[in-house]
Amino acid sequence: MNVSEALDILKENGYKHTTKREMFLELFSNERRYLTAKDVLEYMKPSYPGLSFDTIYRNLSVFTELGIVEETELDGEKHFRFSCSTKGHHHHMICLQCGKTNAIEACPMKDITPDEFMITDHKFEIYGYCQECQ
Amino acid sequence: MNVSEALDILKENGYKHTTKREMFLELFSNERRYLTAKDVLEYMKPSYPGLSFDTIYRNLSVFTELGIVEETELDGEKHFRFSCSTKGHHHHMICLQCGKTNAIEACPMKDITPDEFMITDHKFEIYGYCQECQ
DNA sequence: ATAAAATTAGGAATGATTCCGATTTACTTT
DNA sequence: AAAGTAAATCGGAATCATTCCTAATTTTAT
């Protein structure tokens, strides 16, 4: 995913182009790791001192719905990162300190034999510390 | 895990035996699925009308530390269930409606080749709906 | 029975997230 | 380019799960 792809997706789905949206996307494009709403606020604050959490969460929610960002929950807090795939389905190793990720290509669902559950989703994440944060 | 095992573990670790703790454990023993703090409160309320969330969370936290219950986060809310293993490491298929689980014996970590991350933990959960809740 | 330690009630505090009414902005049509 | 309208934003209040705090009570061990 990159900024102009993301802007196209927004346009296709009837969302307007705003300078704030572009700056959100640039942040995610530069920082290819999991960020919190607060991280986003701090990055934007110099340019938009009055930016509200409402705007951040509303946009992150739109981005997530459209597949522009991926969302996960770490330690009770939502984290978001630029969707890192045209490569399709994948999982992540995540640094609990800085949010950096490494992709894991293998998906454990391939070994699952169906039972009476109707499966809608799954999560496979590996947590730890990246080289810099150890 | 069963109630008397759990009580033994508590005693071994210097925690006192209280009637509330026993009732917590009985609930988890009867309902072998993921419950929220609110679920616990509602179950206990008839017997202990003044029971506070503080007591619930404090005990659930002790139980989790001692391995008596397992914890996970579903839709931004903590859920707890009686630890279902003397069988050691395992994962779960979880019903998003009622919290019922099916155990998954296979662990995807066996296929992970180490990289520069220092791995501390991992999560593999499959979400869906059990037969009754479909 | 007593003392020390642990637990509890009850409510207040926290912190992330969401909601809401009023205002501003981006896009469309004239 | 100006007007109209629908969406986006602001600012702050509300919500919700969870945690913290203190005085009072209960339990265990002596």
Side-chain angles (χ1 to χ4, degrees), chain A residues 1-104:
Chain A
M1 183 69 62
N2 62 50
V3 174
S4 69
E5 273 185 283
L7 287 171
D8 288 348
I9 292 171
L10 284 168
K11 177 162 253 175
E12 281 163 25
N13 289 85
Y15 290 95
K16 295 184 173 169
H17 178 279
T18 69
T19 53
K20 285 193 194 72
R21 283 205 169 129
E22 196 162 336
M23 194 164 180
F24 286 134
L25 296 171
E26 270 159 19
L27 167 59
F28 282 107
S29 176
N30 294 338
E31 300 283 342
R32 301 218 163 231
R33 57 192 178 88
Y34 276 109
L35 302 170
T36 63
K38 210 162 140 199
D39 292 335
V40 174
L41 181 71
E42 263 149 39
Y43 178 83
M44 307 275 286
K45 199 171 244 165
S47 309
Y48 299 99
L51 183 67
S52 78
F53 274 111
D54 184 61
T55 299
I56 293 171
Y57 281 112
R58 184 169 20 75
N59 278 295
L60 289 175
S61 160
V62 168
F63 295 167
T64 303
E65 272 166 33
L66 299 179
I68 292 170
V69 307
E70 308 177 35
E71 183 185 333
T72 195
E73 192 144 348
L74 303 172
D75 198 29
E77 204 172 348
K78 287 187 181 174
H79 288 62
F80 306 86
R81 60 155 293 152
F82 228 23
S83 197
C84 58
S85 61
T86 44
K87 298 176 198 172
H89 186 69
H90 64 287
H91 295 282
H92 279 138
M93 214 171 279
I94 304 172
C95 178
L96 296 172
Q97 179 64 40
C98 72
K100 181 182 169 185
T101 63
N102 276 2
I104 299 163

Side-chain angles (χ1 to χ4, degrees), chain B residues 11-24:
Chain B
K11 178 161 251 174
E12 280 163 25
N13 289 85
Y15 290 95
K16 296 183 174 171
H17 178 279
T18 69
T19 54
K20 284 191 196 72
R21 282 203 170 134
E22 197 163 334
M23 192 164 181
F24 286 134

Side-chain angles (χ1 to χ4, degrees), chain B residues 2 4-5 8 22 31-32 36-38 41 49 53 56 71-72 80 94 118 120 123 131 133:
Chain B
N2 61 50
S4 69
E5 273 184 283
D8 288 349
E22 197 163 334
E31 301 282 342
R32 302 217 162 232
T36 62
K38 209 161 140 200
L41 181 71
F53 274 111
I56 293 171
E71 184 185 332
T72 195
F80 306 85
I94 304 172
M118 183 180 70
T120 57
K123 175 180 261 194
Q131 206 140 40
C133 293

Side-chain angles (χ1 to χ4, degrees), chain B residues 36-128:
Chain B
T36 62
K38 209 161 140 200
D39 291 335
V40 174
L41 181 71
E42 262 150 39
Y43 178 83
M44 306 277 286
K45 199 170 245 168
S47 309
Y48 300 98
L51 184 68
S52 77
F53 274 111
D54 185 61
T55 299
I56 293 171
Y57 282 112
R58 185 170 19 75
N59 278 295
L60 289 175
S61 161
V62 168
F63 295 166
T64 304
E65 273 166 31
L66 298 180
I68 292 169
V69 307
E70 309 177 35
E71 184 185 332
T72 195
E73 194 145 344
L74 302 172
D75 198 29
E77 205 171 347
K78 287 187 182 176
H79 287 64
F80 306 85
R81 62 154 292 154
F82 228 24
S83 198
C84 59
S85 62
T86 44
K87 300 176 198 172
H89 186 69
H90 65 287
H91 295 280
H92 279 138
M93 214 171 280
I94 304 172
C95 178
L96 296 172
Q97 180 64 40
C98 72
K100 181 181 169 185
T101 63
N102 275 4
I104 299 164
E105 299 301 333
C107 175
M109 292 305 286
K110 68 181 183 334
D111 299 326
I112 299 303
T113 54
D115 66 358
E116 77 276 11
F117 266 65
M118 183 180 70
I119 294 172
T120 57
D121 200 5
H122 67 281
K123 175 180 261 194
F124 175 41
E125 288 179 340
I126 299 176
Y127 308 109

